[in-house]
Structure formats: structure tokens, C-alpha cells
Amino acid sequence: MNGVEGYMYPNEITLYWSVLIVLYPYITGLVAGAFILASLERVFRVEAVKPTYRLALLTALAFLLVAPLPLVLHLGHPFRSPEMYFTPHSTSAMAMFGYVYLWYLMAVLVLEIWLDYRRDIVLLSQSSKGLLRFVYKVMTLGSSNISPRSLAIDDRVGWIVTLIGIPSAFLLHGYVGFIFGSVKANPWWSSPLMPVVFIFSAMVSGIAGVMLLYMAISKLRKQVIDMRCVDSIAMYLFYIFIIDFSLEMLDLVHRIYEANESFNSLNFMVHTQLYFSQIVLQIGLGTITPLALLFLTQVVKLPEIARKYMYVLSGSLALIGVLAMRWNVVIGGQLFSKSFLGYTTYKMSLVTREGLLVAIFLTLLPLVFLWVLIKLLPPWPEKSAHAAAD
Amino acid sequence: MSVFKDAGHLFRFAGLFVLAFLIFLVVRHYIVPKSFGQYGHYRGASIGEIAARPVKFAGHETCETCHSDEAAKKSSGKHAHVNCEACHGALASHADDPSIMPVLPDTAVLCARCHTASAAKPKGFPQVDPASHYPGTPCNTCHQPHSPGMDAGGAK
């Protein structure tokens, strides 16, 4: 049979979970990671990363809005998806996701952004004109109270929301790992370490993503990059990356040492079909290289420009590495037969509903959303102050 | 009371949540079918709807009342436990009205469906590779479908 080596059960020959299912944990991972970076500033009061606080929140929101799209596009009957809310089955982890998602979107992200921006929204609703004025007016929910007292309350409540938000972000992304980790018939997925690895790789991708976005947007706005901020983000990225890497290696070593009945089959797969995406991309280029670069920036005193380039390079590599990890989990888990006797291949289509073009579109869409959000809710409070000073 | 005044916007936000939840409940009330959950996690009325559909399979006991020859032959052979309609397809329409004559199955397709060799089948199950086991000759040239073993003397 085409693309099949050895023996596959008939229902294993074509892959049902396509590149869109690769994208989905990637996008939710960026959400969780960006949010956790924002929480750093809020809960642990890390002043240095403050310039990225609002940007991180908006990034999280932009990506979260796109997160369900790959899933909906993957469904054969997308219009049935709301039934997950109306008649959820309590024993289905996937059905529970709908609620986790809504909770995270509304009770955490939107609420936190609203509280943080309320003062700006009220001011904007007074200064802007036309349709925009109406939009801001709606966003104030009809309350223009920005007395110091009310803002202090907002701050307090926002802090609590962030505190609740951290476990929620873990839940949102841990859940994605849980879905894979609990498939006991699939030895490539079935591991209680899966949710933990997913969360840490999510933090890596989210932090790297916001760092890159911050640098890129500063460049576009012709503003100086706050190096103190980028330096400390890079430091967090480095630490989280080490934890992530150790966990992934722990998982790997454990599999090799345990060498259960699936081992030969998986080992063969990693050395053939997954060699490029797992060994070269995920581990070599996507993890060890950026780790080494970040390590250098931590121990050697490098000039600013060199640090910038190294951050951009290691951030981009980290993003590629995490994407490769999602690919290896989702696609890798479907390439081998559960009989351990054969392998199939994944052929990505180009223009179909679940093809490459749609995947690229869905990767870019959050950036468009982010652009709109930034226009609507400028994350730089210093702007007016700067303008006044210049 | 000024705490409440200064936290007023929070109540508005909370109100939005309550409103959304109420709308959800109303929509849910109209969208979820009345009989949902009556017996389990499905629409109870669907049982009646399914039961009302026309029956497609007659069951081998029905076939045997008219085709006792085939039944007798089959019961002594290797296909004793394979049901008539597993090979002939659903034939309730024919059983109700024998003037509707069924199409006889094409053995090249039918027999291969169950007997094509595959590593997933139990070792003891008789399997052949149709590409090398007398290809091109219909199976029933040598095997009698109702009693396929070679000891049954081959085709009639």
C-alpha cells in the first residue's frame, strides 16, 4: 500500500489528526506562556518586564481567540460543536475543554485586560470620535468612574484575577497534554509527564513569542528596546527552558530505560521518519542551540547589539523547536501501528480544509487580531508621556 | 457605601456574566431536545424513531423456513456459523415477498472480504492470498459457498 511499511491496521493508514491538530496545542501554548509572563510582573512584581505586561496580555487574547479555529475546522460537522456546551458529557475530557476555554477567555483574560485598561478606555471614550467612540463607550459598560479609589479596587481585583489566572493557564494547557497523555492505547502519548512537559514547553514558546513581538514592535514603532526588560525576559526564558529540557530528557531517558514492548517500534520511528523533526529540529536546533546561546548571554558580558541578535535567534529557534515538538507528538503518535509491526506516512495536503495553506493562515491570523487589539487598546501608556517630553 | 459606588463597574461586569448565563440557559432550553437524558446521555425519543424504521434483516431462522436445503448443507459445513445474510446481504424484503429475487453474490469480492490473509487475523482462521490462490478462477468453482471445505467434495 502507498506510504505503508510493514503492517498497519486498516484504520491507522491515513492520519486523522492533521497539521491543524499540531497547530492547536501550539497556539494554546503561546496563550498560556504569554499569560504566565504577564503574571510574573503582576503577581511577583517583577518591575523589569513591565513594558511587556500589556503586550503579553493582548498577545494571549489574540491567540486565544484563534485557538478553537483549528479544532472547528477539523470537525466533520463544525456546526455541532456548540452542543459541547449544551449537552456536555461529564466523563469526556474533550467536552470539558469548552468550559475551560470559556472560563479562561472570559473570567481571566478579558476581565484582567478590562480591569487593566479601564482607565484608558474611559479616557478614550471621551477623546475619540464617531464609531470608535461608540465602541469605547460600550467597552466602559456605561461606567466612567475612574476615581483613584475605583482604580485601586481594580488593581486589587486584577491581582486576584491574575492569581486565579495562573492555575487556569496551567489548566488550559495542561489539559491539552492531558488529552494526549491519557490515550492509554498509544505508547507514544500515554505518559503522566505529558501535561507537565506541555506546560513548560508552552511557557518557553509564550515567553519567546512575547519577547520577539516586543522587539519587533519596538523596531516598527521606532522606539528604543528596553534592554533591561529584554534581558530579564531572556533570563526567565533560559531558566524555564532548562526545566523544559530536563523534563523532556527525563521522559526520553525513562522510555529508553523502561524499553517496554513498544520501544523498538518507537525507536525505529525516531531514527527514520521523525529523525529530522525530532532529533534535528526539536532537540538539536530548537532546544540545545537556543539553550547554548542563552547560556552564553547569561555568563559572558556581551555588547547590547550581540545580545539582541542572540535573543532574536534563540527566541525564533525556540519557537521552531516547540512547534516541532507539537508536530512530533501529534503526527508521530499516528505514524506507527499499534501492532508495532508497521509504519505509515503523513501526507500534508496544500489547499484542503485541513491543509498547509489553512495552517499558515491560522498562524498569521492571531497577528492580525493582535494588530487590531493594539490599535484599539494601545499597550504603551508611556506614549503620551513620551510625546509630551519629546 | 462609597465602596459600592466605586466598585459599581465590577457589578456591571458581573451583570454581563449573569446575563450571558441566563441567555445560555434560555437557548439551551430551546435547543436541547425535550427527551434528552430520559434514559441516558442521548435523546430518549430516538429509540422510538429507530424502532419505527423498516426492518432490513430477516434473520437466518426466517431464511431457513423456506430454504431448508441450503440450511441443511450449511449446518454440516465449515460455514455453519456464518449467517445467511452475512453473505447475501440484508434480505428482509425478499423474505417478505419471495418474488423480489436477490442478486447472487460475486464470490471474488465476497470470499476475499473474510479470507484475505492479514497479520491482524487470528492464526487459526483460514486465510489465503487471493493473488496467489488460484487467481482469476471464481472461488465457487472449487468451493461450495454453503459448505466450503474440500472434504465437502468441492463445487456441486
Side-chain angles (χ1 to χ4, degrees), chain A residues 108-123:
Chain A
V108 175
L109 259 186
V110 169
L111 179 57
E112 181 166 345
I113 292 176
W114 186 69
L115 287 173
D116 195 68
Y117 271 101
R118 222 173 52 78
R119 184 174 158 275
D120 302 36
I121 293 174
V122 170
L123 293 179

Side-chain angles (χ1 to χ4, degrees), chain A residues 257-308:
Chain A
Y257 189 75
E258 190 182 50
N260 64 15
E261 69 277 8
S262 67
F263 182 70
N264 282 338
S265 178
L266 299 183
N267 190 33
F268 178 81
M269 183 172 75
V270 170
H271 284 91
T272 50
Q273 295 224 31
L274 285 189
Y275 185 80
F276 180 71
S277 59
Q278 176 109 15
I279 309 276
V280 178
L281 270 189
Q282 184 187 332
I283 298 180
L285 274 178
T287 307
I288 295 181
T289 316
L291 259 182
L293 287 175
L294 287 171
F295 177 71
L296 263 186
T297 62
Q298 297 300 307
V299 292
V300 185
K301 263 219 161 326
L302 292 166
E304 191 176 310
I305 182 82
R307 290 210 310 279
K308 264 189 209 159

